[in-house]
Amino acid sequence: LKLLSEDPANYESAPREGIRRILEEVTGVAVPRDSPVPTDRIEWIRMGTTVATNALLERAGARSALVVTKGFADLLAIGNQARPDIFDLKIARPSRLYEAVVEVDERVRIFQTTEQQPSSSSSSSSSSSSSSSS
């Protein structure tokens, strides 16, 4: 779902409007614009905005921290090593976008719109390969 970051003629808050529309679509229950969003129906939210992207590009905005999975604190510092002149000894790096790095334990969840059962051939081959290696 994509909405304008600012559209006061149609909604007060783009994130809230996006959440409201998705809840209506997923649950089939109307969520009026002037009522509170029923947060008990929300499991997770992933969102990006043009306003936030522009603030990052311009190095403007609020103080921030980078929250990453434990063990990946240096991920952005290492990057992908792409640079215009690979043999240049004077590498100019842009300033960091964050003040601190916070490492957290992470729980990864797979979201599927349909349920899929593992095939019996893939589960038997994985169990036989694990038993032969022990």
Side-chain angles (χ1 to χ4, degrees):
L1 175 67
K2 186 172 181 172
L3 297 173
L4 294 173
S5 297
E6 295 181 12
D7 190 1
N10 292 305
Y11 43 82
E12 185 178 322
S13 162
R16 184 185 184 288
E17 179 65 14
I19 293 165
R20 187 191 71 76
R21 289 184 189 184
I22 290 170
L23 279 174
E24 285 186 342
E25 185 176 323
V26 170
T27 65
V29 177
V31 179
R33 282 195 174 129
D34 58 347
S35 69
V37 172
T39 56
D40 60 320
R41 296 182 186 170
I42 300 172
E43 188 173 339
W44 54 268
I45 296 173
R46 183 172 41 190
M47 171 179 55
T49 69
T50 305
V51 172
T53 302
N54 289 344
L56 290 173
L57 292 173
E58 296 166 4
R59 301 286 200 269
R63 296 170 52 196
S64 61
L66 173 65
V67 180
V68 296
T69 302
K70 192 170 285 185
F72 288 90
D74 57 358
L75 185 67
L76 291 185
I78 294 172
N80 63 7
Q81 298 300 313
R83 50 191 181 265
D85 184 357
I86 196 152
F87 299 108
D88 189 355
L89 297 177
K90 295 181 182 178
I91 301 167
R93 291 187 166 177
S95 61
R96 292 189 335 186
L97 299 172
Y98 48 88
E99 288 184 23
V101 177
V102 179
E103 293 183 72
V104 297
D105 292 325
E106 181 177 17
R107 182 177 69 174
V108 177
R109 299 181 71 187
I110 297 173
F111 179 75
Q112 295 178 336
T113 56
T114 59
E115 289 189 29
Q116 297 176 345
Q117 299 296 323
S119 65
S120 59
S121 62
S122 66
S123 60
S124 64
S125 65
S126 65
S127 62
S128 64
S129 64
S130 63
S131 62
S132 63
S133 63
S134 32

